[in-house]
Amino acid sequence: MLLRLASIALALVVSAVLLPASAAAVLNVTATVAFQEVYTPLFGSHNIRRSADDRTVSILLDRSTGSGFISSSMYHHGFFSASIKLPSDYTAGVVVAFYSSNAHVYEKRHDELDFEFLGNIRGKPWRVQTNVYGNGSVSRGREERYVLPFDPTTEFHRYSILWTRDAVAFYVDDVPVRHVSRSRAAGDFPSKPMSLYATVWDGSNWATSGGRYRVNYHYGPFVASFTDLALAGCRVVDQMLPAAQAGCAEAVAASDPAVMTLAKLQAMRRFRERNMVYSYCYDTRRYPVPFAECDLVDSERKMFKESGHLRTIAHRRRRAGRRTARAAGGAKADM
């Protein structure tokens, strides 16, 4: 999972602007931009609300329609991020998505990297689903689902997608929650330029308990707000020099989010053990032979049924209790 990185002095894109190939620079993944600099409405324009400074945008789902926006350009690798606050109260059937895709260009062999936020009935938490598609691999869904260790409806939290030539990583705040290597995902790894999207829509047919609970518009409109918009990536422009494109890709690969340190790997393992509730890697009913990129960890495997779903929350709590007890015991032994 570790990425081998080298120092570089090449071209990069910051906030969707290409620098000369000779420029020595560092990819600034914390720089944020105004909505109109990089995004444009996609659908449901009357349900898109922008702040006075154009740095926060809210998208709404009501009885008439959902809404969404799309990046003004396509990108070939990059770091794409937004701080998001989700709708509260009864949100069953509601889907909020932050993702990259090129389905509008490559209909039968599209690439896609997803954050999908799945609403729930009152008192139950939102769930977050990540997915990776490459070259039209929609029949080989690579879904993972998590519950969040915070309430995503009370304040903004940052969700980020890193896409380099060699790996994909999903971040929640500053914690990596998933990492996929190109060398192991083989032909299913995203390889073509993609646009960025944010949408909210009615997913009643599947989003909550397999469609058991549907959107109830009595609780609408459902509002998802986005701020801290960041697109630090390789923007596709006409007549781009190959050296500039290659330099940008190397800059993305050398950026801080791409450096999977031991501390980051440990944080990712903790997040997954505590918060993952479904993984395609453990879904042996759907995929009897695991995909090559699956790291089958014994501590994770025991937590999941053959369906890939978490056995029970109580099972996870018992395991967490045993880990705490072992840690306490080790601390006493060192005294």
Side-chain angles (χ1 to χ4, degrees):
M1 294 174 65
L2 295 175
L3 298 177
R4 292 178 296 176
L5 303 173
S7 59
I8 61 171
L10 293 166
L12 80 162
V13 181
V14 176
S15 301
V17 178
L18 278 171
L19 296 183
S22 60
V26 177
L27 192 72
N28 185 354
V29 298
T30 62
T32 61
V33 295
F35 177 86
Q36 66 177 0
E37 292 181 54
V38 292
Y39 284 112
T40 187
L42 177 64
F43 70 101
S45 296
H46 67 280
N47 273 352
I48 299 176
R49 314 285 170 79
R50 293 156 62 176
S51 64
D53 63 2
D54 208 33
R55 289 186 172 269
T56 299
V57 57
S58 295
I59 52 178
L60 286 69
L61 167 66
D62 60 20
R63 293 180 186 274
S64 66
T65 184
S67 55
F69 53 88
I70 183 175
S71 61
S72 304
S73 301
M74 299 182 74
Y75 297 83
H76 200 187
H77 307 118
F79 180 79
F80 316 119
S81 182
S83 293
I84 305 172
K85 185 165 67 172
L86 298 174
S88 60
D89 203 1
Y90 185 98
T91 55
V94 177
V95 179
V96 176
F98 179 61
Y99 65 105
S100 62
S101 176
N102 50 33
H104 62 296
V105 178
Y106 306 99
E107 183 178 352
K108 294 184 179 180
R109 55 188 186 94
H110 85 281
D111 307 303
E112 191 169 319
L113 300 170
D114 294 334
F115 266 117
E116 290 181 312
F117 305 88
L118 310 179
N120 219 326
I121 60 175
R122 180 181 288 143
K124 298 291 185 180
W126 280 82
R127 290 153 302 142
V128 181
Q129 176 168 288
T130 61
N131 209 341
V132 177
Y133 294 121
N135 296 308
S137 59
V138 293
S139 63
R140 299 182 294 279
R142 289 167 158 83
E143 301 94 343
E144 288 188 349
R145 291 185 182 181
Y146 327 91
V147 292
L148 294 168
F150 50 78
D151 184 347
T153 71
T154 58
E155 57 186 13
F156 286 92
H157 287 270
R158 192 181 191 197
Y159 305 90
S160 308
I161 300 170
L162 171 77
W163 174 35
T164 75
R165 294 172 303 181
D166 300 316
V168 166
F170 295 87
Y171 279 79
V172 175
D173 290 327
D174 294 323
V175 177
V177 302
R178 183 176 182 181
H179 184 275
V180 179
S181 170
R182 182 185 69 172
S183 62
R184 300 179 67 183
D188 288 350
F189 191 83
S191 60
K192 300 178 292 297
M194 292 188 277
S195 298
L196 275 295
Y197 296 81
T199 57
V200 59
W201 47 283
D202 187 329
S204 290
N205 291 337
W206 67 277
T208 307
S209 298
R212 179 180 178 186
Y213 300 101
R214 305 179 66 83
V215 174
N216 185 337
Y217 287 101
H218 172 77
Y219 297 95
F222 303 97
V223 182
S225 297
F226 293 71
T227 193
D228 299 330
L229 304 172
L231 278 78
C234 305
R235 183 167 61 93
V236 176
V237 296
D238 292 338
Q239 299 179 342
M240 180 186 296
L241 294 175
Q245 181 64 45
C248 176
E250 290 188 24
V252 174
S255 65
D256 181 72
V259 182
M260 296 301 289
T261 63
L262 178 60
K264 287 183 180 179
L265 293 173
Q266 291 173 335
M268 181 168 67
R269 175 64 57 82
R270 287 193 297 270
F271 180 95
R272 294 170 66 83
E273 288 187 350
R274 296 172 181 174
N275 300 288
M276 190 161 65
V277 295
Y278 172 81
S279 173
Y280 72 103
C281 286
Y282 299 109
D283 191 343
T284 56
R285 293 180 184 174
R286 186 179 178 193
Y287 303 119
V289 178
F291 290 114
E293 74 271 13
C294 289
D295 287 315
L296 301 180
V297 182
D298 285 341
S299 61
E300 289 183 359
R301 189 200 303 266
K302 296 174 182 177
M303 296 164 50
F304 294 93
K305 305 175 186 177
E306 292 180 353
S307 63
H309 293 277
L310 184 69
R311 291 185 181 277
T312 62
I313 297 297
H315 178 83
R316 171 170 283 160
R317 288 173 178 168
R318 286 196 297 270
R319 289 185 57 80
R322 288 196 291 269
R323 286 196 301 270
T324 302
R326 286 196 298 269
K332 289 180 181 178
D334 291 337
M335 295 177 64

